[in-house]
Amino acid sequence: APVALVDAAMPGMLPVINEECVRQAVRTGLGLNAQSNLRSVFDRKNYFYPDLPQGYQISQYKSPIVGEGEIVVELDGGKSATIGIERLHLEQDAGKLLHDQSPTMSYVDLNRCGVALMEIVSKPDIRDAEQAKAYVTKLRSILRYLGTCDGDMEKGNLRADVNVSVRRAGDTKFGTRCEIKNVNSIRFIGQAIEYEARRQIGIIEDGGTIDQETRLYDPGKGETRSMRSKEEAHDYRYFPDPDLLPLEFAQTYVDALKADLPELPDEKKVRFIKDFALTPYDASVLVSERESADFYETVLEGLANKARDGKLAANWVIN
């Protein structure tokens, strides 16, 4: 199929900020209880890779559009964990390399090059595969409530880069991390973490050291494999993009977006427990998807005594 001149980064192709993407990034930041930065800067991140025709990616480095936030995830046994959000920034999506179309060559699909992408970076607060899966599940739920992402991982609309490091019990310092790129299902995220943690433990216990690198997860074989050595920030030679001015908006813009946010899953859960006498578990199941929560409330509308019949209706909808 022909590739658009913009996607192929032909000379003279200049970037334009998409206002809707800015709006959705700010709304997502608000949904993550995060700081909205009224001034942010677009930078060039320079690297040479076949999926990047320009030779650089427009991203945000020191001044992202959204700063620190947090989300609470629910774990088995009624426990919960608070996972910190480091930042949310806007960047250009890159192309997609296809390694399974030919036995001798890799193909590159440039159709999504230049399209805006939100990258959400979490703090190193996640301790195991179960927490990681719960985190991405909760994140996907919030994004769907907000309408900022449909969460369709099979189409690559939501994907995760998973950083894994191990340390001995009692150690306070993190070990060397490896990044597993573009994992596209919550189940695979769990499998990739389990495999990679075991791989790193095996190397350390044999007296070896972990090399910081970028790896890929192969779900067919259930293993990760090396892709390239991991670059540090200085290797990318970041500098402000000369084609895009710094992005500035007023607090009134943020306040207007905040006033228009839908009720998010955590708020909805509290209301369902209070108004309809639901157990925390039932409320969690109902609010995990916006469609099931809306359907439950639609069922309740037909009942005379909502407080009395809330549990009955919940059992019916859930089962």
Side-chain angles (χ1 to χ4, degrees):
V3 174
L5 298 174
V6 178
D7 300 347
M10 289 297 177
M13 295 293 130
L14 294 175
V16 177
I17 289 183
N18 182 320
E19 188 183 347
E20 178 63 10
C21 295
V22 171
R23 203 174 76 85
Q24 297 289 38
V26 175
R27 290 179 73 248
T28 303
L30 291 167
L32 302 175
N33 303 307
Q35 172 69 38
S36 297
N37 295 328
L38 301 184
R39 185 181 193 275
S40 60
V41 176
F42 288 95
D43 297 281
R44 285 193 182 179
K45 178 182 183 180
N46 297 274
Y47 65 95
F48 294 97
Y49 204 64
D51 63 3
L52 201 65
Q54 289 167 175
Y56 63 86
Q57 178 186 36
I58 297 173
S59 185
Q60 294 187 309
Y61 178 41
K62 285 187 172 160
S63 303
I65 189 167
V66 172
E68 294 189 348
E70 62 179 33
I71 62 174
V72 177
V73 300
E74 285 160 20
L75 306 167
D76 288 345
K79 294 196 211 122
S80 66
T82 301
I83 309 297
I85 303 291
E86 180 70 41
R87 56 189 282 149
L88 177 157
H89 59 258
L90 285 172
E91 63 182 28
Q92 275 178 306
D93 206 347
K96 180 174 161 191
L97 285 171
L98 305 167
H99 305 293
D100 56 359
Q101 307 287 309
S102 158
T104 56
M105 292 183 290
S106 289
Y107 287 75
V108 62
D109 176 355
L110 297 179
N111 279 314
R112 65 187 195 196
C113 265
V115 172
L117 176 80
M118 277 191 307
E119 180 160 302
I120 298 167
V121 182
S122 63
K123 290 180 181 287
D125 295 339
I126 298 169
R127 292 289 164 266
D128 56 37
E130 285 311 305
Q131 284 191 15
K133 286 161 67 177
Y135 167 74
V136 177
T137 302
K138 181 64 174 279
L139 202 54
R140 183 172 65 175
S141 175
I142 291 169
L143 295 171
R144 283 175 166 167
Y145 267 78
L146 292 166
T148 55
C149 176
D150 65 10
D152 192 332
M153 298 185 81
E154 281 188 6
K155 290 182 183 162
N157 298 348
L158 174 68
R159 47 193 194 271
D161 294 342
V162 184
N163 288 277
V164 179
S165 70
V166 298
R167 57 181 173 177
R168 294 182 192 277
D171 277 2
T172 53
K173 198 162 168 276
F174 289 120
T176 302
R177 66 190 169 89
C178 291
E179 180 180 32
I180 307 157
K181 291 294 282 187
N182 287 334
V183 189
N184 68 344
S185 97
I186 288 169
R187 188 164 55 94
F188 291 163
I189 287 169
Q191 291 171 0
I193 291 169
E194 295 283 359
Y195 175 86
E196 182 60 19
R198 283 198 305 270
R199 184 189 74 85
Q200 293 184 19
I201 289 166
I203 290 170
I204 292 166
E205 292 192 339
D206 284 347
T209 54
I210 305 300
D211 295 324
Q212 185 174 333
E213 62 181 354
T214 302
R215 299 178 71 84
L216 284 175
Y217 178 64
D218 183 336
K221 293 183 178 169
E223 62 187 31
T224 64
R225 62 173 185 268
S226 184
M227 184 173 147
R228 59 175 182 260
S229 63
K230 176 65 184 165
E231 297 85 358
E232 297 286 358
H234 59 255
D235 295 322
Y236 291 123
R237 303 189 316 284
Y238 282 100
F239 64 89
D241 191 292
D243 293 329
L244 290 170
L245 290 168
L247 177 62
E248 294 184 349
F249 43 78
Q251 185 62 41
T252 48
Y253 178 73
V254 179
D255 294 343
L257 291 176
K258 188 169 189 176
D260 201 36
L261 287 184
E263 184 181 41
L264 292 170
D266 287 353
E267 301 158 10
K268 209 179 270 291
K269 178 184 169 184
V270 169
R271 181 168 65 81
F272 280 9
I273 292 169
K274 183 166 157 282
D275 292 357
F276 309 130
L278 298 188
T279 63
Y281 174 78
D282 283 353
S284 293
V285 173
L286 287 170
V287 304
S288 63
E289 294 289 344
R290 191 172 179 175
E291 288 77 11
S292 58
D294 289 347
F295 181 58
Y296 173 65
E297 296 215 71
T298 306
V299 170
L300 279 181
E301 277 171 22
L303 302 175
N305 189 332
K306 294 179 180 52
R308 186 194 68 204
D309 296 330
K311 174 69 178 156
L312 185 68
N315 289 344
W316 187 78
V317 172
I318 289 167
N319 296 315

